[in-house]
Amino acid sequence: MINISNVGRRYGTFVALEDIDLQIKAGEFFSLLGPSGCGKTTLLRLIGGFDVPSSGSISIDGAPMSGVPANHRPTNMVFQSYAIFPHLNVAENVAFGLNILNLTKAEKQARVDEALSRVRLVGLGSRMGSQLSGGQRQRVALARALVMKPKVLLLDEPLSALDKKLREEMQVELRQLQQDIGITFVLVTHDQYEALAMSDRIAVMFDGKIAQIAKPQEIYQNPTSRRVADFLGGMNFLETANMRLLGENVVADVAGFGTIANKRRGDEMIDPAKATLGIRPERLRIQWEDEKAKNEISGKVLSRHYFGEVTNLVVQVEGQPRPLSVVETNDFGADGIPVGSLVRIAYDEDAFVLMKE
Amino acid sequence: MRSEATRGWLVISAPLLYALLLLIGPIIVILANSFWTQDYLTIDRTFTLDNYRAALGEPIYRDLLFRSLKVSAIVSVVTVILAYPVAYFISFHGGRAKGLWIFIITVPFWTGYLLRILSWKVILGYKGVLNSALLGLGVISEPLETLLYSLNAVIITLAHSWAAFAILPIYVSLEKLDRTLLEAAADLGQGPIRQFLRVTLPLTLPGVIAALLIVMIPTVGDYVTPKLVGGKDGVMIANAIQVQFGKASNWPLGAALAVTTMIIVSMSAALMVLALQLFRRLMK
Ligand SMILES: Nc1ncnc2c1ncn2[C@@H]1O[C@H](COP(=O)(O)OP(=O)(O)OP(=O)(O)O)[C@@H](O)[C@H]1O
Ligand SMILES: [Mg+2]
């Protein structure tokens, strides 16, 4: 559907994007995820035709896009600032692009009505663009793009200006909408939860390069690099010694944990000298006094960080140079486990994550 | 809150008083005069509408007023049409040199108004720069006599004099225009011309209206330019008013002419603003 090959974008000597290779499938919900300044918007603007790559090429639906201006591309965009026309009312905003489609008045009206009801803005058609709340502006921007029935919808951090509650609602809604109409969505976000919750696939970007492209579960459970692992949720990077390849497995001596074998996935090349072993905080379980697990380590609670649904414990485990982060659930009582306590922590053997670099 | 407002009024009271005195004082004097009668060297202070009858009824004044309105309308429209592309260029393509461009535009104001008018005399005169150039190029065989001392000369000179005052408000409104709105319009399939007509122009209309008014209102009342470059065809209402207050020494008639002009200019300005608003509605 969208084929991006070898695309680079330089501003003077600054390299904003480098060697981007990406295929986005038709009907896919694809997210570009990365920290601020990593080049997400730049890439989205290249797809939308608002900017021209310094090298490489982009094609959409088989048609090369070089030399095709934004107004002739089969894409529509929801801008980060929404870019609602302040001198027009909601209905006029939504109908703005329909003049190029050769529709009758009735057809136009029907399309506008349909788009407004899709984003639940019925009855607000005559409100001026300059008099809308953030959530309403977001919906108008969405309706204005959807009414064009594009092959690809580009969304640049469409939810970042909304409060948390509304943002979570809109995540569900956007995903539902995409499933209903079945067009390709390319979403830019710096919010990992948003990307995980909504996408079919995610590309994680750092410094103008793509670090990993995978499905949400895959990218969370098997990040290929320390950077990706760190960006998506918490990760305890473990101190290991004598990492080696042993048949199907990568084996390492992990201080405090003993010898850990990690199954190699597919035909991946792993360089034991560069690889890192880690474990997610939620895969470490605090044990009750009378509980006994097969694999256990013990440590001392250094500090607690309360988040409501869970508490993050920072635990110094014997042998590991850095303290580990462990998730404590609320069934440990109102005040939880006090700082300074000695705790036993259970883990599963398959909970370890092997990162190539 | 209240004390804040009181303090605000206190702070501006001195200049406000000064401004009101200088604005309202003369207007009252003019208004009063317009209802009186000149009786040789004295003023007869009995109320009369005769001056207004003369101002509105006598063909000469009507013609002059009409011509002044026409000239100021043409000048303001011409000036704005010339100023818009300049402001547009500076705002969209000025890059880092924007400040420099704006500075350059104000350079003519370092010389006096009269000097600028006189330089147009040099350019437009019978043996002036323009005629010489056209003769030299063989475009014409005899110098054009209609360049100087005509209505055209008045229009050209005024348009040049007021150019910067038109460029600045338009430039400011273009600078305020959010450029992503243009990208959004492009995204919705609109080519450059439609982007301009449907987004840029309607959103910079306040600047255009300001420019039109800034040029139009003072040009109606200008009497220096018509006098210097207008010849007998370029005489405007302000010249007639000046004559009444000066040589003819008929203040009441001059005052009535001034008041009539003021009211008609205000009305035509309001009409123009309304027309532009209507145009904006239609532009959607
Ligand atoms: N017109 C430009 N000229 C010079 N540098 C630019 C330009 N546009 C973007 N950049 C640089 O390119 C880099 C990537 O910018 P981009 O806007 O794509 O970041 P982003 O990933 O969208 O970040 P954010 O999450 O903050 O929006 C940044 O370092 C930015 O400073
Ligand atoms: Mg961005």
Side-chain angles (χ1 to χ4, degrees), chain A residues 45 50 70-71 75-77 79 81 83-88 92 96-97 99-100 144-145 148, chain B residues 178 180-192 194-195 198-199 202-203 280-281 284:
Chain A
R45 292 174 60 83
F50 303 105
N71 48 324
T75 59
N76 279 111
M77 179 126 154
F79 290 84
S81 59
I84 304 298
F85 301 115
H87 58 303
L88 303 178
E92 289 163 340
F96 193 84
N99 62 338
I100 60 162
R144 190 177 68 180
M148 304 300 291
Chain B
D178 178 2
T180 42
L181 293 178
L182 297 178
E183 291 190 338
D187 186 64
L188 294 165
Q190 313 298 305
R194 284 215 180 101
Q195 287 170 37
R198 299 185 70 196
V199 180
L203 286 173
R280 183 165 159 174
R281 297 231 154 258
K284 284 179 188 174

CSV table of all heavy atoms in Angstrom, one decimal, chain A residues 45 50 70-71 75-77 79 81 83-88 92 96-97 99-100 144-145 148, chain B residues 178 180-192 194-195 198-199 202-203 280-281 284:
chain,number,residue,atom,x,y,z
A,45,ARG,N,5.0,13.8,7.1
A,45,ARG,CA,4.8,14.9,6.1
A,45,ARG,C,5.4,14.5,4.8
A,45,ARG,O,4.9,15.0,3.8
A,45,ARG,CB,5.6,16.1,6.7
A,45,ARG,CG,4.9,16.8,7.9
A,45,ARG,CD,5.7,17.9,8.4
A,45,ARG,NE,5.9,19.0,7.4
A,45,ARG,CZ,5.0,19.9,7.2
A,45,ARG,NH1,3.9,20.0,7.8
A,45,ARG,NH2,5.3,20.8,6.3
A,50,PHE,N,3.9,17.1,2.1
A,50,PHE,CA,4.1,18.5,2.6
A,50,PHE,C,5.6,18.8,2.6
A,50,PHE,O,6.0,19.8,2.9
A,50,PHE,CB,3.6,18.7,4.0
A,50,PHE,CG,2.1,18.4,4.0
A,50,PHE,CD1,1.6,17.3,4.6
A,50,PHE,CD2,1.2,19.3,3.4
A,50,PHE,CE1,0.2,17.0,4.6
A,50,PHE,CE2,-0.1,19.1,3.4
A,50,PHE,CZ,-0.6,17.9,4.0
A,70,ALA,N,0.8,17.7,-2.3
A,70,ALA,CA,-0.2,17.2,-1.3
A,70,ALA,C,-1.6,17.1,-1.8
A,70,ALA,O,-2.4,16.2,-1.5
A,70,ALA,CB,-0.1,18.0,-0.1
A,71,ASN,N,-2.0,18.2,-2.6
A,71,ASN,CA,-3.4,18.2,-3.1
A,71,ASN,C,-3.8,17.2,-4.1
A,71,ASN,O,-4.9,17.0,-4.5
A,71,ASN,CB,-3.8,19.6,-3.6
A,71,ASN,CG,-2.8,20.2,-4.5
A,71,ASN,OD1,-1.6,20.0,-4.4
A,71,ASN,ND2,-3.2,20.9,-5.5
A,75,THR,N,-4.1,10.8,0.2
A,75,THR,CA,-4.0,10.7,1.6
A,75,THR,C,-4.7,11.9,2.2
A,75,THR,O,-4.9,13.0,1.5
A,75,THR,CB,-2.5,10.9,2.0
A,75,THR,OG1,-2.0,12.1,1.5
A,75,THR,CG2,-1.7,9.7,1.5
A,76,ASN,N,-5.1,11.8,3.4
A,76,ASN,CA,-5.6,13.0,4.2
A,76,ASN,C,-5.0,13.0,5.5
A,76,ASN,O,-4.6,11.9,6.1
A,76,ASN,CB,-7.1,13.0,4.2
A,76,ASN,CG,-7.7,13.6,3.0
A,76,ASN,OD1,-8.3,12.9,2.2
A,76,ASN,ND2,-7.5,14.9,2.7
A,77,MET,N,-4.9,14.1,6.1
A,77,MET,CA,-4.1,14.3,7.4
A,77,MET,C,-4.9,14.9,8.5
A,77,MET,O,-5.7,15.8,8.2
A,77,MET,CB,-2.9,15.1,7.0
A,77,MET,CG,-2.0,15.4,8.2
A,77,MET,SD,-0.3,14.9,7.8
A,77,MET,CE,0.7,15.9,8.8
A,79,PHE,N,-4.0,17.1,11.5
A,79,PHE,CA,-2.8,17.8,11.9
A,79,PHE,C,-2.7,17.8,13.4
A,79,PHE,O,-3.7,17.7,14.1
A,79,PHE,CB,-2.8,19.2,11.4
A,79,PHE,CG,-2.5,19.2,9.9
A,79,PHE,CD1,-3.6,19.1,9.0
A,79,PHE,CD2,-1.3,19.4,9.4
A,79,PHE,CE1,-3.4,19.1,7.6
A,79,PHE,CE2,-1.0,19.5,8.0
A,79,PHE,CZ,-2.1,19.3,7.1
A,81,SER,N,-2.0,20.2,15.3
A,81,SER,CA,-2.7,21.4,15.8
A,81,SER,C,-4.1,21.4,15.3
A,81,SER,O,-4.9,22.4,15.6
A,81,SER,CB,-2.0,22.6,15.4
A,81,SER,OG,-2.0,22.7,13.9
A,83,ALA,N,-5.6,22.3,12.9
A,83,ALA,CA,-5.7,23.3,11.7
A,83,ALA,C,-7.2,23.4,11.3
A,83,ALA,O,-7.5,23.2,10.1
A,83,ALA,CB,-4.8,22.8,10.5
A,84,ILE,N,-8.1,23.7,12.2
A,84,ILE,CA,-9.5,24.0,11.9
A,84,ILE,C,-9.6,25.4,11.3
A,84,ILE,O,-9.0,26.3,11.9
A,84,ILE,CB,-10.3,23.8,13.1
A,84,ILE,CG1,-10.2,22.5,13.8
A,84,ILE,CG2,-11.8,24.1,12.8
A,84,ILE,CD1,-10.6,21.3,12.9
A,85,PHE,N,-10.3,25.5,10.2
A,85,PHE,CA,-10.4,26.9,9.6
A,85,PHE,C,-11.3,27.7,10.5
A,85,PHE,O,-12.5,27.4,10.7
A,85,PHE,CB,-11.0,26.8,8.2
A,85,PHE,CG,-10.2,26.0,7.3
A,85,PHE,CD1,-10.7,24.8,6.8
A,85,PHE,CD2,-8.9,26.4,6.9
A,85,PHE,CE1,-10.0,24.0,5.9
A,85,PHE,CE2,-8.2,25.6,6.1
A,85,PHE,CZ,-8.7,24.4,5.6
A,86,PRO,N,-10.7,28.8,11.1
A,86,PRO,CA,-11.5,29.5,12.1
A,86,PRO,C,-12.6,30.4,11.5
A,86,PRO,O,-13.5,30.7,12.2
A,86,PRO,CB,-10.4,30.5,12.7
A,86,PRO,CG,-9.4,30.6,11.7
A,86,PRO,CD,-9.4,29.3,10.9
A,87,HIS,N,-12.5,30.7,10.2
A,87,HIS,CA,-13.6,31.5,9.6
A,87,HIS,C,-14.7,30.7,9.1
A,87,HIS,O,-15.7,31.3,8.5
A,87,HIS,CB,-13.0,32.4,8.5
A,87,HIS,CG,-12.3,31.6,7.4
A,87,HIS,ND1,-11.3,30.7,7.6
A,87,HIS,CD2,-12.6,31.6,6.1
A,87,HIS,CE1,-11.0,30.1,6.5
A,87,HIS,NE2,-11.7,30.6,5.5
A,88,LEU,N,-14.7,29.4,9.3
A,88,LEU,CA,-15.8,28.6,8.8
A,88,LEU,C,-16.4,27.8,9.9
A,88,LEU,O,-15.8,27.6,11.0
A,88,LEU,CB,-15.2,27.6,7.8
A,88,LEU,CG,-14.5,28.1,6.6
A,88,LEU,CD1,-14.0,27.0,5.7
A,88,LEU,CD2,-15.4,29.1,5.8
A,92,GLU,N,-19.0,23.6,7.3
A,92,GLU,CA,-18.2,24.2,6.3
A,92,GLU,C,-16.8,23.6,6.3
A,92,GLU,O,-16.1,23.4,5.3
A,92,GLU,CB,-18.2,25.7,6.3
A,92,GLU,CG,-19.5,26.3,5.9
A,92,GLU,CD,-19.6,27.8,6.4
A,92,GLU,OE1,-18.9,28.2,7.3
A,92,GLU,OE2,-20.5,28.5,5.8
A,96,PHE,N,-15.1,21.3,3.3
A,96,PHE,CA,-14.1,22.1,2.7
A,96,PHE,C,-13.5,21.5,1.4
A,96,PHE,O,-13.3,22.1,0.4
A,96,PHE,CB,-13.0,22.5,3.6
A,96,PHE,CG,-12.0,23.5,3.1
A,96,PHE,CD1,-12.4,24.9,3.3
A,96,PHE,CD2,-10.9,23.2,2.5
A,96,PHE,CE1,-11.6,25.9,2.8
A,96,PHE,CE2,-10.0,24.3,2.0
A,96,PHE,CZ,-10.4,25.6,2.2
A,97,GLY,N,-13.2,20.2,1.5
A,97,GLY,CA,-12.5,19.5,0.4
A,97,GLY,C,-13.4,18.9,-0.7
A,97,GLY,O,-12.9,18.5,-1.7
A,99,ASN,N,-15.4,20.1,-2.8
A,99,ASN,CA,-15.6,20.8,-4.1
A,99,ASN,C,-14.9,20.1,-5.2
A,99,ASN,O,-15.2,20.3,-6.3
A,99,ASN,CB,-15.2,22.3,-3.9
A,99,ASN,CG,-13.8,22.4,-3.6
A,99,ASN,OD1,-13.2,21.5,-3.0
A,99,ASN,ND2,-13.2,23.6,-3.9
A,100,ILE,N,-13.8,19.4,-4.8
A,100,ILE,CA,-13.0,18.8,-5.9
A,100,ILE,C,-13.6,17.5,-6.4
A,100,ILE,O,-13.1,16.8,-7.3
A,100,ILE,CB,-11.5,18.6,-5.5
A,100,ILE,CG1,-11.5,17.6,-4.3
A,100,ILE,CG2,-10.8,19.9,-5.2
A,100,ILE,CD1,-10.1,17.0,-4.0
A,144,ARG,N,-13.3,16.0,8.8
A,144,ARG,CA,-12.9,16.7,7.6
A,144,ARG,C,-12.0,15.8,6.7
A,144,ARG,O,-12.1,15.9,5.5
A,144,ARG,CB,-12.2,18.0,8.1
A,144,ARG,CG,-11.9,18.9,7.0
A,144,ARG,CD,-11.2,20.2,7.5
A,144,ARG,NE,-9.9,19.9,8.0
A,144,ARG,CZ,-9.1,20.8,8.5
A,144,ARG,NH1,-9.5,22.1,8.7
A,144,ARG,NH2,-7.9,20.5,8.9
A,145,ALA,N,-11.2,15.0,7.4
A,145,ALA,CA,-10.3,14.1,6.6
A,145,ALA,C,-11.1,12.9,6.1
A,145,ALA,O,-11.0,12.5,4.9
A,145,ALA,CB,-9.1,13.7,7.4
A,148,MET,N,-13.4,12.8,2.9
A,148,MET,CA,-12.8,12.7,1.6
A,148,MET,C,-12.6,11.3,1.1
A,148,MET,O,-12.1,11.0,0.0
A,148,MET,CB,-11.4,13.4,1.6
A,148,MET,CG,-11.4,14.8,2.0
A,148,MET,SD,-12.4,15.9,1.0
A,148,MET,CE,-11.4,15.9,-0.5
B,178,ASP,N,-1.9,31.2,10.3
B,178,ASP,CA,-1.3,30.0,10.6
B,178,ASP,C,-1.1,29.2,9.4
B,178,ASP,O,-2.0,28.8,8.6
B,178,ASP,CB,-2.3,29.2,11.6
B,178,ASP,CG,-1.8,27.8,11.9
B,178,ASP,OD1,-0.7,27.5,11.5
B,178,ASP,OD2,-2.5,27.1,12.7
B,180,THR,N,-0.2,26.2,8.8
B,180,THR,CA,-0.7,24.8,8.7
B,180,THR,C,-2.2,24.8,8.1
B,180,THR,O,-2.6,23.8,7.6
B,180,THR,CB,-0.8,24.0,10.0
B,180,THR,OG1,-1.2,24.9,11.0
B,180,THR,CG2,0.5,23.5,10.4
B,181,LEU,N,-2.8,26.0,8.2
B,181,LEU,CA,-4.2,26.0,7.6
B,181,LEU,C,-4.0,25.9,6.1
B,181,LEU,O,-4.9,25.3,5.4
B,181,LEU,CB,-4.9,27.4,7.9
B,181,LEU,CG,-5.2,27.6,9.4
B,181,LEU,CD1,-5.9,28.9,9.6
B,181,LEU,CD2,-6.2,26.5,9.8
B,182,LEU,N,-3.0,26.4,5.5
B,182,LEU,CA,-2.7,26.3,4.1
B,182,LEU,C,-2.4,24.9,3.7
B,182,LEU,O,-2.8,24.3,2.7
B,182,LEU,CB,-1.6,27.2,3.6
B,182,LEU,CG,-1.9,28.7,3.8
B,182,LEU,CD1,-0.8,29.6,3.4
B,182,LEU,CD2,-3.2,29.1,3.0
B,183,GLU,N,-1.6,24.2,4.6
B,183,GLU,CA,-1.3,22.8,4.4
B,183,GLU,C,-2.6,22.0,4.5
B,183,GLU,O,-2.8,21.1,3.7
B,183,GLU,CB,-0.3,22.3,5.4
B,183,GLU,CG,1.1,23.0,5.2
B,183,GLU,CD,2.2,22.3,6.1
B,183,GLU,OE1,1.8,21.7,7.1
B,183,GLU,OE2,3.3,22.4,5.7
B,184,ALA,N,-3.4,22.3,5.4
B,184,ALA,CA,-4.7,21.6,5.5
B,184,ALA,C,-5.5,21.8,4.3
B,184,ALA,O,-6.1,20.8,3.8
B,184,ALA,CB,-5.5,22.1,6.8
B,185,ALA,N,-5.5,23.0,3.7
B,185,ALA,CA,-6.3,23.2,2.5
B,185,ALA,C,-5.7,22.4,1.3
B,185,ALA,O,-6.4,21.8,0.6
B,185,ALA,CB,-6.3,24.7,2.1
B,186,ALA,N,-4.4,22.4,1.3
B,186,ALA,CA,-3.7,21.6,0.2
B,186,ALA,C,-4.1,20.1,0.4
B,186,ALA,O,-4.4,19.4,-0.5
B,186,ALA,CB,-2.2,21.8,0.3
B,187,ASP,N,-4.0,19.7,1.7
B,187,ASP,CA,-4.3,18.3,2.0
B,187,ASP,C,-5.8,17.9,1.6
B,187,ASP,O,-6.0,16.8,1.2
B,187,ASP,CB,-4.2,18.1,3.5
B,187,ASP,CG,-4.4,16.6,4.0
B,187,ASP,OD1,-3.5,15.8,3.6
B,187,ASP,OD2,-5.4,16.3,4.6
B,188,LEU,N,-6.6,18.9,1.6
B,188,LEU,CA,-8.0,18.7,1.2
B,188,LEU,C,-8.2,18.9,-0.3
B,188,LEU,O,-9.3,19.2,-0.8
B,188,LEU,CB,-9.0,19.5,2.0
B,188,LEU,CG,-9.0,19.1,3.5
B,188,LEU,CD1,-9.6,20.2,4.4
B,188,LEU,CD2,-9.7,17.8,3.7
B,189,GLY,N,-7.1,18.9,-1.1
B,189,GLY,CA,-7.2,18.9,-2.5
B,189,GLY,C,-7.3,20.2,-3.2
B,189,GLY,O,-7.5,20.3,-4.4
B,190,GLN,N,-7.0,21.3,-2.4
B,190,GLN,CA,-7.1,22.6,-3.0
B,190,GLN,C,-5.8,23.1,-3.6
B,190,GLN,O,-4.7,23.0,-2.9
B,190,GLN,CB,-7.6,23.7,-1.9
B,190,GLN,CG,-8.8,23.2,-1.1
B,190,GLN,CD,-10.0,23.0,-1.9
B,190,GLN,OE1,-10.5,23.8,-2.7
B,190,GLN,NE2,-10.6,21.8,-1.9
B,191,GLY,N,-5.8,23.5,-4.8
B,191,GLY,CA,-4.5,24.0,-5.4
B,191,GLY,C,-4.2,25.4,-4.9
B,191,GLY,O,-4.9,25.9,-4.1
B,192,PRO,N,-3.0,25.9,-5.3
B,192,PRO,CA,-2.6,27.2,-4.7
B,192,PRO,C,-3.6,28.4,-4.9
B,192,PRO,O,-3.7,29.1,-3.9
B,192,PRO,CB,-1.3,27.5,-5.6
B,192,PRO,CG,-0.9,26.2,-6.1
B,192,PRO,CD,-2.1,25.3,-6.2
B,194,ARG,N,-6.9,28.2,-5.1
B,194,ARG,CA,-8.0,28.0,-4.2
B,194,ARG,C,-7.6,28.2,-2.7
B,194,ARG,O,-8.3,28.7,-1.9
B,194,ARG,CB,-8.6,26.6,-4.3
B,194,ARG,CG,-9.5,26.4,-5.6
B,194,ARG,CD,-10.6,25.5,-5.3
B,194,ARG,NE,-11.4,25.3,-6.4
B,194,ARG,CZ,-11.4,24.2,-7.2
B,194,ARG,NH1,-10.4,23.3,-7.0
B,194,ARG,NH2,-12.2,24.1,-8.2
B,195,GLN,N,-6.4,27.8,-2.4
B,195,GLN,CA,-5.9,28.0,-1.1
B,195,GLN,C,-5.9,29.5,-0.8
B,195,GLN,O,-6.3,29.9,0.3
B,195,GLN,CB,-4.4,27.5,-0.9
B,195,GLN,CG,-4.3,26.0,-0.9
B,195,GLN,CD,-2.8,25.6,-1.0
B,195,GLN,OE1,-1.9,26.2,-0.5
B,195,GLN,NE2,-2.6,24.5,-1.7
B,198,ARG,N,-9.6,30.8,-0.6
B,198,ARG,CA,-10.5,30.2,0.4
B,198,ARG,C,-9.9,30.3,1.8
B,198,ARG,O,-10.7,30.2,2.8
B,198,ARG,CB,-10.9,28.8,0.1
B,198,ARG,CG,-11.6,28.6,-1.2
B,198,ARG,CD,-12.0,27.2,-1.4
B,198,ARG,NE,-13.1,26.8,-0.5
B,198,ARG,CZ,-13.4,25.5,-0.3
B,198,ARG,NH1,-12.7,24.6,-1.0
B,198,ARG,NH2,-14.4,25.2,0.5
B,199,VAL,N,-8.6,30.5,1.9
B,199,VAL,CA,-8.0,30.6,3.3
B,199,VAL,C,-7.3,31.9,3.5
B,199,VAL,O,-7.6,32.7,4.4
B,199,VAL,CB,-7.1,29.4,3.5
B,199,VAL,CG1,-6.5,29.5,4.9
B,199,VAL,CG2,-7.8,28.1,3.3
B,202,PRO,N,-9.6,35.4,2.9
B,202,PRO,CA,-10.6,35.6,3.9
B,202,PRO,C,-10.0,35.9,5.3
B,202,PRO,O,-10.5,36.7,6.1
B,202,PRO,CB,-11.5,34.4,4.0
B,202,PRO,CG,-11.0,33.5,2.9
B,202,PRO,CD,-9.9,34.1,2.2
B,203,LEU,N,-8.9,35.2,5.6
B,203,LEU,CA,-8.3,35.4,6.9
B,203,LEU,C,-7.4,36.6,7.1
B,203,LEU,O,-7.1,37.0,8.2
B,203,LEU,CB,-7.5,34.1,7.3
B,203,LEU,CG,-8.4,32.9,7.7
B,203,LEU,CD1,-7.5,31.7,7.9
B,203,LEU,CD2,-9.2,33.2,9.0
B,280,ARG,N,-16.7,38.1,1.8
B,280,ARG,CA,-16.1,37.1,2.6
B,280,ARG,C,-17.1,35.9,2.8
B,280,ARG,O,-16.7,34.7,2.7
B,280,ARG,CB,-15.7,37.6,3.9
B,280,ARG,CG,-15.0,36.7,4.8
B,280,ARG,CD,-14.4,37.5,5.9
B,280,ARG,NE,-14.1,36.7,7.1
B,280,ARG,CZ,-13.5,37.2,8.2
B,280,ARG,NH1,-13.1,38.4,8.2
B,280,ARG,NH2,-13.3,36.4,9.2
B,281,ARG,N,-18.4,36.2,3.0
B,281,ARG,CA,-19.4,35.2,3.1
B,281,ARG,C,-19.5,34.4,1.8
B,281,ARG,O,-19.6,33.2,1.8
B,281,ARG,CB,-20.8,35.8,3.4
B,281,ARG,CG,-20.9,36.5,4.7
B,281,ARG,CD,-22.0,36.0,5.6
B,281,ARG,NE,-21.7,36.3,7.0
B,281,ARG,CZ,-21.3,35.3,7.8
B,281,ARG,NH1,-21.2,34.1,7.4
B,281,ARG,NH2,-21.0,35.6,9.0
B,284,LYS,N,-16.8,31.6,0.8
B,284,LYS,CA,-16.7,30.3,1.4
B,284,LYS,C,-16.8,29.2,0.4
B,284,LYS,O,-17.7,28.7,0.0
B,284,LYS,CB,-17.7,30.2,2.5
B,284,LYS,CG,-17.3,30.9,3.7
B,284,LYS,CD,-18.4,30.8,4.8
B,284,LYS,CE,-18.1,31.7,6.0
B,284,LYS,NZ,-19.2,31.7,6.9
